[in-house]
Amino acid sequence: MSIRYDGKVAVVTGAGGGLGRCHALELARRGAKVVVNDLGGAVDGSGGSSEAALAVVDEIKKAGGEAMANGSSVSDPAGAQKIIQDAVDAYGRIDILINNAGILRDRTFKKMTLEDFRLVCDVHLMGSVNCTRAAWETMIAQGYGRIVMTTSSSGLYGNFGQSNYGAAKLALVGLMNTLKLEGAKYNVRVNTIAPVAATRMTEDIMPKEALEALRPELVTPAVLFLCSEDAPDGAIIEAGAGYYGRVQIVESAGVHLGSSVSAEDVADNWAKISDMSEAKPHKSGGEVTLKIFGMSGEG
Ligand code: NAI
């Protein structure tokens, strides 16, 4: 099966380097017209220049592809609107949005300023919300859209010193979980990548041998699958160094303890409550409510 994007228009945010650059190059190589967005700032989000995005556009054009640069910030709603508008103005539509732009402001929670917390949420969470909102109506109206969020194992599982980043990254899974429901009947599918790759973001925190194995090019195939015609909906793929695994939030089979329950009852039943041997994912919050009432009826 060959995956192509001929006739498709893609936006990749934060594509001036690292993972975003790889996604943009590969989308273009497979026929997509690509808007390469990048604010061009430092890892902590300071500064900005359009050079990074322009250099990637040059690379794409030299390889025979079609691309244009955009230097807006995803965290600015008007900027996000412009990213999507640039795609529609230049290429007539928007089919694929890869929400990839991101920054780090690591500190233990004790030392973290609220400003650093907010800024990281602004770029990762609100940046993805702003761009998705700007593309959403067009995708719904045309009956086609593929959106990829970028989460992180820091959000899925936690990472020391990254409370701001982890909170923002897991929020994107929450965003996906509702958008997959709202987009489904319009053929707008929303998925999430959890990458591990050697980029400027990770070059100081991983050993050299690990960095050599963690080529960003090995994350891109999962992203390309998640934004293809036959993409799944609501899936999370963890990808790095040639490894690909599916991540799901699951809930234990649980136990119904009756209609008069004390804290001691919960403590006494903790082993059963937390027995994950029959844990399952749910397609929506409503499914959990049905499960609760189903169990209640049996109890
Ligand atoms: P990177 O720093 O090379 O790429 C991030 C890009 O986003 C940069 O080019 C930066 O200029 C751009 N950017 C930052 N703020 C922006 C804004 N407001 N508007 C537009 N562009 C902006 O780092 P990397 O590793 O390529 O990160 C890409 C994504 O993958 C990020 O969302 C990151 O959190 C995520 N990620 C990366 C992991 C890794 O192992 N490298 C692990 C887990 C997640």
Side-chain angles (χ1 to χ4, degrees), residues 14 19 37-39 73-74 100 102 124 151 165 169 195 197 199-200:
L19 287 159
N37 157 263
D38 207 294
L39 181 61
S73 171
V74 294
N100 165 82
H124 290 278
T151 188
Y165 181 75
K169 283 310 206 187
T199 65
R200 66 178 195 169

Side-chain angles (χ1 to χ4, degrees), residues 149-256:
M149 307 291 176
T150 305
T151 188
S152 164
S153 56
S154 300
L156 295 167
Y157 307 113
N159 201 21
F160 196 91
Q162 292 197 315
S163 56
N164 53 356
Y165 181 75
K169 283 310 206 187
L170 197 58
L172 294 170
V173 174
L175 178 63
M176 170 190 78
N177 283 339
T178 285
L179 295 188
K180 83 178 177 209
L181 301 174
E182 295 185 9
K185 76 171 174 190
Y186 305 102
N187 192 19
V188 178
R189 299 185 196 165
V190 189
N191 293 289
T192 298
I193 185 76
V196 188
T199 65
R200 66 178 195 169
M201 212 179 245
T202 48
E203 65 192 0
D204 298 333
I205 52 175
M206 286 187 190
K208 194 167 166 287
E209 313 78 69
L211 290 172
E212 275 162 19
L214 289 167
R215 288 183 296 118
E217 287 81 1
L218 286 169
V219 172
T220 294
V223 172
L224 264 76
F225 167 62
L226 291 177
C227 67
S228 64
E229 292 256 3
D230 296 325
D233 205 4
I236 306 170
I237 300 181
E238 181 94 51
Y243 163 87
Y244 304 89
R246 182 171 191 175
V247 180
Q248 281 186 319
I249 295 174
V250 297
E251 188 163 319
S252 70
V255 54
H256 195 263

Side-chain angles (χ1 to χ4, degrees), residues 71-133:
S72 303
S73 171
V74 294
S75 57
D76 167 25
Q81 189 71 46
K82 179 159 180 356
I83 299 172
I84 304 301
Q85 199 56 51
D86 277 0
V88 175
D89 288 350
Y91 304 128
R93 49 192 291 127
I94 165 78
D95 301 288
I96 295 167
L97 169 63
I98 314 291
N99 285 307
N100 165 82
I103 61 166
L104 288 181
R105 294 259 169 137
D106 294 359
R107 293 244 184 317
T108 56
F109 193 56
K110 194 173 141 195
K111 293 188 187 144
M112 186 172 297
T113 63
L114 287 178
E115 192 200 339
D116 278 353
F117 205 105
R118 219 172 270 127
L119 194 73
V120 164
C121 290
D122 266 357
V123 175
H124 290 278
L125 172 59
M126 290 316 296
S128 302
V129 170
N130 292 337
C131 293
T132 302
R133 187 70 188 81

